[in-house]
Amino acid sequence: MVERTQIPLNDPKRQYLELKTEIDKAVERVLNSGRYILGSEVEAFETEFADYCDMSYCVGVANGTNALEIGLKALGISVGDEVITVANAGMYSTTAIRAVGAVPVFAEIQPLTMTMDPNALAEAITSRTRALIITHLYGRMAHIPELIACAKKYNLAVIEDCAQAHGAQLNQKRAGSFGDIGCYSFYPTKNLGALGDGGGIVTSDPQIADRCKRLRQYGWIKKYHAQESGGMNSRLDELQAAILRAKLPHLDQWNQEREAIKDKYFSGINHSSIQLPIESPPGEMVWHLFVIRTENRDKLLSNLKKMGVGCDVHFPMPDHLQRSCAELGYKPGALPETELAAREVLSLPIFPGLTQIEVEQVIDGVLASVSAATHRVGSHNYHC
């Protein structure tokens, strides 16, 4: 047993210390410029991140949820329209859908990937459906080809929620480049995180990009002249853009570090009561979170915290069962796979800078907590 230390679920400070010189210079550059909102740093980051995503445009906004809301507005989604999403991704897409007056409709997930089931998408479409939000959950690319094909069949606008998928790709295409727009969060714990809130919208449609730029700043077509209705104040600031510029060249290497930690977990955590996440081809999963499943989740969570291992549940309450969504009419049992996942998922630490000793402590903690358990996970079949 390795000597125990307190292990955080995530630690953005380690990343800052790794790049302290670069980040401090970026901050100083902004402070000395005297321009703190929508200046050259935001413009440069938008160009650089659009290039990274293989897209024509990026529009920096205040946070990832605003990115989704502005994206919906830019695509013409409004009051009474139905937007299909999943209920196991922390209320972010649901919040954005409701903010524009639209109605969230929840599709079931597949049990192995925990991303949207393409068959469930088809079943959820009605005559009022106008758009689809595809969430790339935990860093895993969703079933994009099937979902996009279904959306095209019914002429639905497609937004990719890429808040947990910076750098993920399928068939050499980046997350965010398959739909009409891709929406990113740059919250500090993301694979590409600022030192505060931040978000971005990527697209290759110039008209959508122009609408997003107007919508992020009061609907202005020029200063104090509002052309777009539904405009808001949602701007990525210069400091965060400069910090993101310093970090972006390191993103692929950091994702490789996450992959290496994942390999250690796969080698070390071997118990019948623990379901490990399924593997994906290289690049399709960037391991934003390492999420295991177990019937005894709450007990394991408690034991790990007592051992000093940071862990959390992403996410404990499905959107369709939230009190704030009661008027939508969903009842327990409406989405059985989604609800089962909420009872079983547990996130373990996985971030660049996590040491070998810390990884071993996490593994030892998990195994010690479940060593008395001899039964296999659940009566349902995870491998169907």
Side-chain angles (χ1 to χ4, degrees), residues 2-5 7 307 357-365:
V2 296
E3 183 180 352
R4 290 179 183 171
T5 58
I7 303 172
M307 295 177 182
I357 290 175
E358 289 172 324
V359 172
E360 291 174 1
Q361 183 178 327
V362 174
I363 294 170
D364 288 346

Side-chain angles (χ1 to χ4, degrees), residues 125-164:
I125 295 172
T126 75
S127 60
R128 296 181 296 278
T129 307
R130 295 291 178 268
L132 164 66
I133 295 180
I134 299 173
T135 299
H136 303 305
L137 192 68
Y138 306 148
R140 184 186 306 282
M141 294 286 286
H143 303 276
I144 283 286
E146 299 95 330
L147 295 172
I148 292 289
C150 185
K152 287 183 177 180
K153 179 179 179 180
Y154 292 96
N155 196 30
L156 305 181
V158 176
I159 294 175
E160 292 177 68
D161 180 355
C162 308
Q164 299 185 7

Side-chain angles (χ1 to χ4, degrees), residues 212-286:
C212 289
K213 286 182 178 180
R214 293 193 291 268
L215 287 165
R216 75 175 172 186
Q217 187 165 236
Y218 315 116
W220 285 353
I221 190 170
K222 63 180 181 178
K223 194 171 183 179
Y224 305 133
H225 291 75
Q227 174 174 296
E228 298 283 349
S229 62
M232 56 200 297
N233 181 0
S234 180
R235 300 171 294 208
L236 179 66
D237 69 65
E238 286 284 281
L239 280 171
Q240 301 305 336
I243 291 165
L244 289 167
R245 292 185 67 201
K247 287 187 170 189
L248 180 58
H250 303 272
L251 175 56
D252 289 340
Q253 174 60 40
W254 287 335
N255 284 341
Q256 290 174 16
E257 290 182 37
R258 291 173 182 269
E259 181 86 17
I261 296 168
K262 176 270 299 184
D263 289 340
K264 294 172 185 175
Y265 282 153
F266 268 80
S267 296
I269 300 175
N270 182 15
H271 196 278
S272 60
S273 70
I274 298 293
Q275 181 207 0
L276 297 174
I278 65 168
E279 286 273 31
S280 293
E284 288 185 30
M285 179 75 171
V286 291

Side-chain angles (χ1 to χ4, degrees), residues 31 43 49 52 59 95 106 167 184 236 248 271-272 327 344:
L31 296 178
E43 291 177 359
F49 192 66
Y52 178 83
V59 179
T95 298
F106 301 108
Y184 282 86
L236 179 66
L248 180 58
H271 196 278
S272 60
E327 76 278 6
E344 294 186 344

